Amino acid sequence: MNSFAAKARRQRERLAADQHRPRYHFLPPANWMNDPNGVIEWNGRYHLFYQHNPQGAVWDNMHWGHAVSDDLVHWADQPIALSPTIGGADEDGCWSGCAVDNNGVPTLLYTGVQGDWTLPQNQRVCVATADDDLILWEKHPANPVIAHPPAGMRVTGFRDPSVWREDELWIMAIGAGIRDIGGAVLLYRSVDLINWEYMHPLCVGDKQDTENVWTGSVWEVPQFFPLGDKHVLIFTAWDGEQLYTVYFSGRYHEHRFVPEAVHKLDFGDRHFCAPYTMMDSQGRRILWGWIGEDRSVAAQQAAGWSGLMALPRELRLRADGRLAINPVEEINSLRGAYQRLSDIELSADSSDFDIDLRGAALEIAAEIDPANAEEIGVKVRCSPDREEETRIFYDAVRKRLGVDRRRATLFQDSRVSADVQAGEFELSPGEKLRLRIFVDCSVIEVYANDHACITSRVYPSRPDSTCLRLYVRGQARVNSLEIWRLRSIWPSA
């Protein structure tokens, strides 16, 4: 084992006993992680790059971390891919970007920050290339290849390049915002990835409201791609502390995008951010996202780690313009101990229905007929005496899907949210509620009826908060309920 791999393993082993540290989601050996960057399939292996501070569990000193996988599930840590260069265009941070195959040359395009990062003119596009193993990256001597935003444009952000090929041209989308107007994606073109010409905005939003979906003043980490017979634009809407991920579906013609539908991608808001997509060799459009912490900086530093990747999600386009979103099927390989129940009748006259199989790392799949239920759901991370619990619910009256964290923990941390995360979700007449829930220590991911998602964080204080229950207000029938314990993806955990 080389020295880097040995150090990474020791770091993971040191933190493995942390009851809040996820076991089957990817996260670095230690310290800070945020945006996924440049995920690419190369020579049959998946390479994940990510924003990383190798020196602490706080946002600072941005590098590109690197991991590699054969199956999208188990990951091997690799050496740091990009580090700031003193005196260079990225001396104050190697920020988010993308990876492309340039005629057999693996190439990264990323945001280099030099100076005060809050000023768009200090956010620049840089390029780096590597040999076939994607380990040692060399920064191009022409950096920055885009040194400033378009002349005369009053931008509020200028970062996170995303690049694709159209005929003989490379097209780049950059996340931006236009002052007093709203978020925007700006387009550039190039023949060689080094010399770029500004074209025009791909799309511009309204920072106040877009069909009742707030889209903010800056669009970060834009992802634009064809799906089905349309195109999809995904980005994180940002405005200071407020942020969540949005997607448009619509028509793309002559390098301009006309949205036809707009939706939140995840009701967990800031808990699923910085979307990144890739097309793999199986023809799947796979989505990655960053799950941040929901506890104080002091708690993160004490833990020695912060942030993780969401499970990779496969995207398809439905006929109604919504994205169908589900975890990639490779996750099924982690399934262990199993319990299946069927035909469970629930009523408000009875107590919660307790499930024998319990744990802090679970997958739960349920098909529920709401029948006469006002509210139906699953309680996870419950203590035996019900002192702690997190409710995943469908409110049939208000037509909402949510995660209720008001009793999730007894910890007294001012930053730990005790709230309800929810969004509009309506079943068609006769449609059953289909839930797929992933619980991984402090992480909850909920998928409902192929299109609704909620990503959340909870930090139970009690080690015995591993119980699982069903509950209802009114009456409902659980047609089927399947529960698996999921194995850790790390040898030492």
Side-chain angles (χ1 to χ4, degrees):
M1 184 182 297
N2 63 42
S3 59
F4 175 83
K7 178 181 177 182
R9 187 181 183 104
R10 288 195 301 270
Q11 288 178 309
R12 289 193 181 280
E13 290 173 347
R14 178 172 56 84
L15 298 175
D18 185 337
Q19 67 168 328
H20 296 130
R21 186 169 165 88
R23 302 173 189 171
Y24 60 85
H25 285 73
F26 175 80
L27 71 172
N31 300 316
W32 173 275
M33 158 189 267
N34 58 295
D35 303 8
N37 296 147
V39 189
I40 189 171
E41 189 177 4
W42 193 268
N43 293 335
R45 309 188 79 193
Y46 295 93
H47 290 260
L48 167 65
F49 301 93
Y50 54 90
Q51 291 286 278
H52 180 47
N53 177 4
Q55 298 174 358
V58 294
W59 182 89
D60 193 15
N61 187 36
M62 287 296 99
H63 291 55
W64 276 38
H66 182 197
V68 65
S69 174
D70 294 318
D71 62 2
L72 290 173
V73 176
H74 302 88
W75 296 88
D77 298 303
Q78 303 295 300
I80 295 292
L82 294 177
S83 302
T85 298
I86 296 175
D90 60 7
E91 69 175 342
D92 292 304
C94 300
W95 283 19
S96 295
C98 65
V100 297
D101 179 351
N102 182 19
N103 297 318
V105 178
T107 303
L108 304 180
L109 296 99
Y110 66 99
T111 303
V113 177
Q114 187 176 32
D116 182 354
W117 72 264
T118 65
L119 302 177
Q121 62 266 32
N122 294 335
Q123 301 167 12
R124 299 150 180 189
V125 178
C126 298
V127 173
T129 58
D131 292 330
D132 205 43
D133 60 3
L134 279 68
I135 298 298
L136 297 176
W137 292 87
E138 182 178 352
K139 298 176 184 179
H140 199 281
N143 284 341
V145 296
I146 301 179
H148 49 73
M153 183 175 288
R154 300 172 65 228
V155 299
T156 54
F158 187 73
R159 52 187 179 265
D160 312 330
S162 176
V163 176
W164 65 91
R165 190 82 173 174
E166 288 189 24
D167 299 323
E168 299 303 314
L169 290 175
W170 291 102
I171 305 297
M172 176 191 292
I174 291 185
I178 301 175
R179 192 172 304 280
D180 300 325
I181 296 177
V185 173
L186 308 181
L187 285 189
Y188 287 74
R189 61 188 172 193
S190 173
V191 296
D192 59 6
L193 295 175
I194 304 302
N195 299 284
W196 292 91
E197 176 190 4
Y198 174 63
M199 298 169 66
H200 51 250
L202 171 71
C203 186
V204 177
D206 179 342
K207 70 176 184 178
Q208 301 302 321
D209 186 33
T210 302
E211 295 183 20
N212 299 314
V213 176
W214 174 86
T215 60
S217 58
V218 176
W219 291 354
E220 293 191 311
V221 285
Q223 300 290 295
F224 186 65
F225 52 90
L227 197 63
D229 62 351
K230 296 187 178 182
H231 273 70
V232 175
L233 174 63
I234 305 178
F235 56 88
T236 291
W238 182 86
D239 196 350
E241 289 298 312
Q242 187 176 6
L243 72 165
Y244 57 69
T245 299
V246 174
Y247 71 88
F248 294 117
S249 60
R251 300 292 176 181
Y252 178 54
H253 181 64
E254 294 184 350
H255 297 112
R256 296 185 188 275
F257 177 61
V258 179
E260 297 173 343
V262 56
H263 300 282
K264 267 191 180 183
L265 190 140
D266 191 297
F267 296 152
D269 291 357
R270 67 184 182 278
H271 295 101
F272 185 94
C273 289
Y276 189 94
T277 76
M278 62 167 290
M279 179 75 78
D280 78 352
S281 58
Q282 300 179 47
R284 299 180 296 180
R285 177 61 63 172
I286 298 176
L287 171 70
W288 304 78
W290 166 49
I291 301 177
E293 298 298 321
D294 212 6
R295 53 185 173 172
S296 66
V297 172
Q300 295 171 54
Q301 290 177 307
W305 62 275
S306 178
L308 63 143
M309 285 292 112
L311 297 176
R313 304 174 179 184
E314 183 177 358
L315 302 181
R316 296 186 177 90
L317 192 67
R318 295 163 29 127
D320 62 2
R322 286 184 178 270
L323 288 175
I325 309 173
N326 288 287
V328 296
E329 63 180 358
E330 287 89 339
I331 300 301
N332 298 349
S333 67
L334 296 175
R335 290 171 174 172
Y338 172 69
Q339 182 177 5
R340 187 181 192 281
L341 302 170
S342 59
D343 301 327
I344 305 170
E345 298 288 348
L346 298 175
S347 71
D349 297 331
S350 58
S351 60
D352 293 349
F353 186 93
D354 289 283
I355 310 299
D356 292 335
L357 191 63
R358 59 184 61 181
L362 300 172
E363 177 189 350
I364 304 151
E367 181 184 278
I368 301 171
D369 183 351
N372 297 314
E374 297 177 11
E375 181 176 304
I376 177 73
V378 182
K379 296 180 179 180
V380 301
R381 298 306 318 261
C382 307
S383 60
D385 59 5
R386 294 170 168 78
E387 191 175 37
E388 290 184 335
E389 64 180 23
T390 297
R391 291 190 306 123
I392 299 160
F393 66 88
Y394 169 58
D395 184 332
V397 176
R398 296 178 177 84
K399 314 299 183 187
R400 293 176 69 77
L401 181 74
V403 174
D404 184 343
R405 305 186 292 172
R406 289 175 294 183
R407 296 175 58 193
T409 184
L410 301 178
F411 278 131
Q412 299 299 311
D413 184 328
S414 61
R415 285 288 304 277
V416 172
S417 296
D419 61 5
V420 178
Q421 301 166 291
E424 294 183 6
F425 179 82
E426 184 171 3
L427 296 175
S428 303
E431 184 180 9
K432 306 298 188 291
L433 175 64
R434 291 177 287 109
L435 294 176
R436 194 173 177 195
I437 302 165
F438 292 86
V439 178
D440 192 2
C441 297
S442 60
V443 178
I444 297 173
E445 292 191 47
V446 181
Y447 302 82
N449 293 59
D450 294 329
H451 68 87
C453 303
I454 308 177
T455 303
S456 188
R457 300 301 303 272
V458 295
Y459 304 90
S461 64
R462 295 175 47 166
D464 63 349
S465 290
T466 59
C467 299
L468 180 66
R469 301 184 175 100
L470 302 175
Y471 80 97
V472 70
R473 291 207 319 258
Q475 292 180 318
R477 178 186 180 88
V478 179
N479 295 333
S480 64
L481 177 69
E482 295 179 282
I483 309 102
W484 296 266
R485 287 203 186 103
L486 297 192
R487 292 182 287 269
S488 171
I489 63 174
W490 308 111
S492 60

